[in-house]
Amino acid sequence: MPGTSKQAQIIVKMEEEKVITISDMLKSIERYNPEHLKVIENYVEDQAKDNSYDLEANLAVLKLYQFNPHLLNLDITHLILLKALTNLPHTDFVLCKCLLLPTQTADDTVKEIIHLVDILEQCDFAMFWARIKLNPDLVRKIAGFYDSIRKFVCHVVSITFQSIEKDYLSRLLGDIDDHTLSLWIKKYGWKDQGNLVFIANQDENIKTKNITEKIEFENLAPLMAACL
């Protein structure tokens, strides 16, 4: 898991002058100790600054907020949600969203982040970049934010298109310049064909497959009996 190596470097102070790493703390009952919240919140801020990511630690923070609403920090909540957003298409954001308190979901910034995720999941990338352009301060603290989103866009393009117009691809990636576009094309092994970019032959992905499932009567009998 990204962030695991850094977990081992961050020390959490315990009673009787004992210390453990964040990694060990997250594997123990100490993850529910609110006295450690500030250390993990600082760790969340570090993730935003150095473009690292640790979902396990971030979920632990949200869980501590659930148990201790009086300790809720909305700024840290925003960072956690934005970091989860940058890890699409993984389901990290859903996991984080399930742990939010009503106070968090009622927050305007949280609402905007949730809306941004909805837009990305609908693959309306033009609208996404337009909203980010209107409010760049929202993601200012997240190092590598724009490239993380472009990775997700490229993921969608790679499984959707066989060829795509170069200008259209540039818009999907946030109106990037020709040089930057060439770097992304090279990164994913696509082929520049003038006004077009060849992505991949998608024929194999769309071929109909016959799936045969064998069900033994012994496995089916209890189900039939339950229906009687």
Side-chain angles (χ1 to χ4, degrees):
M1 174 187 291
T4 301
S5 59
K6 193 167 185 178
Q7 282 182 0
Q9 301 172 12
I10 300 177
I11 300 299
V12 181
K13 293 182 179 180
M14 305 284 289
E15 295 179 356
E16 300 178 356
E17 299 184 354
K18 293 180 180 179
V19 295
I20 60 174
T21 64
I22 280 189
S23 178
D24 290 335
M25 184 202 68
L26 292 173
K27 297 174 184 176
S28 71
I29 193 66
E30 288 297 325
R31 68 181 290 147
Y32 301 110
N33 187 340
E35 293 181 4
H36 304 322
L37 179 58
K38 188 59 181 177
V39 174
I40 318 178
E41 286 179 334
N42 291 339
Y43 182 34
V44 172
E45 292 177 328
D46 288 343
Q47 293 175 50
K49 292 175 184 176
D50 60 25
N51 197 18
S52 59
Y53 183 54
D54 191 334
L55 175 62
E56 184 181 7
N58 297 350
L59 292 175
V61 172
L62 295 179
K63 199 65 181 178
L64 282 168
Y65 290 158
Q66 278 192 329
F67 293 149
N68 309 274
H70 61 289
L71 298 177
L72 173 61
N73 186 325
L74 285 173
D75 289 337
I76 296 296
T77 300
H78 302 158
L79 294 180
I80 290 173
L81 293 178
L82 287 169
K83 289 298 294 183
L85 180 156
T86 62
N87 207 36
L88 286 170
H90 298 287
T91 58
D92 299 13
F93 192 87
V94 175
L95 297 175
C96 293
K97 186 178 176 182
C98 289
L99 295 177
L100 296 181
L101 295 164
T103 302
Q104 292 165 300
T105 56
D107 177 71
D108 288 339
T109 301
V110 171
K111 289 180 180 178
E112 176 63 14
I113 296 172
I114 292 173
H115 184 51
L116 288 174
V117 173
D118 290 339
I119 293 172
L120 283 175
E121 290 180 338
Q122 295 166 15
C123 298
D124 193 344
F125 301 127
M127 180 181 290
F128 175 85
W129 293 117
R131 292 191 74 91
I132 291 296
K133 188 175 182 180
L134 289 173
N135 188 15
D137 286 344
L138 175 65
V139 302
R140 177 175 51 83
K141 294 182 179 179
I142 308 297
F145 178 85
Y146 294 93
D147 281 349
S148 295
I149 301 304
R150 290 182 179 120
K151 287 179 183 178
F152 175 62
V153 174
C154 288
H155 164 75
V156 173
V157 168
S158 67
I159 63 176
T160 305
F161 290 90
Q162 183 155 297
S163 294
I164 186 173
E165 292 183 3
K166 191 180 292 183
D167 289 344
Y168 183 43
L169 178 60
S170 174
R171 292 197 299 273
L172 292 181
L173 292 171
D175 289 319
I176 57 179
D177 58 51
D178 290 343
H179 174 68
T180 305
L181 179 61
S182 296
L183 293 177
W184 283 98
I185 291 173
K186 183 178 180 180
K187 175 181 176 66
Y188 281 86
W190 300 336
K191 296 180 181 178
D192 189 333
Q193 298 180 329
N195 294 328
L196 290 176
V197 177
F198 177 75
I199 305 299
N201 188 332
Q202 302 290 357
D203 290 345
E204 291 299 320
N205 295 333
I206 62 176
K207 284 183 178 180
T208 302
K209 296 181 179 179
N210 294 321
I211 301 175
T212 302
E213 185 174 2
K214 183 178 180 182
I215 303 177
E216 299 292 342
F217 179 76
E218 290 77 8
N219 297 329
L220 190 59
L223 179 61
M224 296 174 63
C227 296
L228 296 178

